[in-house]
Amino acid sequence: MPQELMTAVVQDRYGEADVLYLDHIPRPTVADNEVLIRVEAASVDRGAWHLMAGLPYPLRLAGFGLRRPENRVRGLDVSGRVEAVGSSVTRVAVGQEVYGIAVGSFAEYACALETKIAAKPARLSFAQAAAVPVSGLTALQAVRDGRVQAGQSVLVLGASGGVGIYAVQVAKAMGALVTGLCSTSKADTVRSLGADEVLDYRFDDATDGSHRYDVIIDTGGNRRLRDLRRALTRTGRLVIVGGENGGRWLGGIDRQIRALCLSPFVSQKLGSLMASENAEDLEVLTAMIDAGVITPVIDSVHPLADTAVAVARMVDGSGCGKQIIATR
């Protein structure tokens, strides 16, 4: 019996957005612990870009393909309906609306581990739900790692980015006084998310030491460690999220390594975050969304055929909020 085909965005070599193209490929089949999702929407995140570009190079050595991508289909964030379930799946059922993290969500169908999806928040559309998983999980865990408490002063660097948008909202939900750093054109959006103060990175030096913060969540990826420490209180906590502009080999992780090595010898707690993709934290986000304390921000919605446009817009940073891929 011939295998059913689906439309997907694929790549045969590493590179920028122009390596992506539409193709008809076999629909994936589920393993025992997987769920097949009929994709309604997906979104673009930095992780998907790293896999597309094959950067930094150690990523390729980690099993994603040395000369070309092992998996041709990109995309991590997903929302949609359960089409089929593996024999050991018990948490979700066929027909249920879900969201979470899948393998190859820039397609009509994608497989996800049962442990990486949850019921879609009732108040969100599929497009809104697809904007949440990777960035929302990262932000939630960054705020948690920072041990943010009510009344503390929190600085979010890159407050208008994918992770920053959620970090502002989660920190506010914890009762913190939040300062967001972004560009002028995005200040109103960050302010609408609850930030108590918004600084423009082109004119305001948030790390000049004129104000010290209890917690800094750095999603920007390029500030020197000594500058970040200068903006922390004596016992403040730094959480570095990801790393950009760090070259093809290190990808920015050298800064994180230096922070971890220095932390035991200073009064400040300096660390980095490796986000965990898990259903339990997705359910925490769902509860916050349903309570109205977290709202996704969408910049643009693109058809599947324009996925390369969405990726390019995410990379150039011109938008504010998530780039959504609508498959239907």
Side-chain angles (χ1 to χ4, degrees):
M1 183 175 179
Q3 193 168 2
E4 292 187 64
L5 298 181
M6 68 173 184
T7 303
V9 176
V10 302
Q11 65 178 113
D12 298 316
R13 58 188 175 88
Y14 290 120
E16 294 299 330
D18 59 358
V19 303
L20 303 175
Y21 67 96
L22 280 181
D23 197 5
H24 296 288
I25 64 174
R27 197 171 86 173
T29 55
V30 294
D32 290 346
N33 61 344
E34 288 183 332
V35 171
L36 179 66
I37 299 171
R38 180 178 178 178
V39 179
E40 293 290 336
S43 73
V44 182
D45 71 282
R46 275 283 172 183
W49 176 85
H50 283 294
L51 293 174
M52 180 191 75
L55 296 174
Y57 289 135
L59 189 85
R60 307 185 189 193
L61 300 175
F64 292 99
L66 188 59
R67 295 184 178 275
R68 61 184 62 86
E70 189 73 23
N71 174 29
R72 297 174 67 213
V73 188
R74 297 280 64 79
L76 299 170
D77 286 314
V78 69
S79 68
R81 293 181 175 86
V82 177
E83 185 80 6
V85 298
S87 60
S88 65
V89 171
T90 59
R91 292 181 54 255
V92 297
V94 172
Q96 186 174 352
E97 296 181 352
V98 296
Y99 79 137
I101 296 170
V103 177
S105 61
F106 297 165
E108 292 180 305
Y109 294 88
C111 283
L113 291 172
E114 179 189 24
T115 54
K116 294 187 179 185
I117 60 170
K120 181 179 76 66
R123 66 184 293 160
L124 296 187
S125 67
F126 284 112
Q128 290 173 312
V132 175
V134 170
S135 295
L137 286 171
T138 304
L140 174 68
Q141 293 164 20
V143 171
R144 187 183 291 158
D145 276 16
R147 299 184 185 177
V148 173
Q149 299 177 17
Q152 285 189 321
S153 178
V154 176
L155 172 64
V156 178
L157 300 174
S160 62
V163 176
I165 281 171
Y166 294 104
V168 169
Q169 296 181 82
V170 175
K172 280 301 297 181
M174 300 299 178
L177 300 172
V178 179
T179 298
L181 185 72
C182 62
S183 65
T184 301
S185 63
K186 302 173 184 179
D188 287 343
T189 297
V190 174
R191 197 172 289 111
S192 73
L193 299 174
D196 298 283
E197 184 178 11
V198 180
L199 302 177
D200 188 326
Y201 74 89
R202 292 176 297 180
F203 306 110
D204 302 308
D205 184 358
T207 60
D208 63 2
S210 60
H211 185 89
R212 293 183 178 269
Y213 300 90
D214 298 299
V215 181
I216 296 177
I217 298 173
D218 179 15
T219 75
N222 55 13
R223 291 193 177 257
R224 294 178 299 181
L225 187 58
R226 67 182 182 186
D227 293 335
L228 295 170
R229 290 192 60 209
R230 185 171 58 204
L232 278 175
T233 60
R234 187 178 63 83
T235 57
R237 303 179 72 89
L238 167 66
V239 182
I240 300 174
V241 179
E244 305 300 334
N245 305 319
R248 292 176 174 268
W249 283 100
L250 293 177
I253 62 171
D254 54 320
R255 192 173 60 126
Q256 293 153 292
I257 293 171
R258 291 197 304 273
L260 291 169
C261 291
L262 180 61
S263 188
F265 304 102
V266 297
S267 59
Q268 297 162 330
K269 179 63 176 178
L270 313 174
S272 63
L273 177 72
M274 181 66 71
S276 169
E277 302 169 348
N278 66 86
E280 291 75 16
D281 280 348
L282 278 171
E283 290 168 353
V284 172
L285 289 171
T286 298
M288 298 179 78
I289 290 165
D290 287 339
V293 298
I294 290 181
T295 302
V297 177
I298 293 175
D299 178 72
S300 304
V301 179
H302 308 261
L304 193 61
D306 287 346
T307 296
V309 176
V311 173
R313 186 164 172 81
M314 185 275 295
V315 171
D316 70 27
S318 58
C320 184
K322 281 287 192 174
Q323 306 301 319
I324 303 299
I325 311 298
T327 62
R328 308 291 169 186

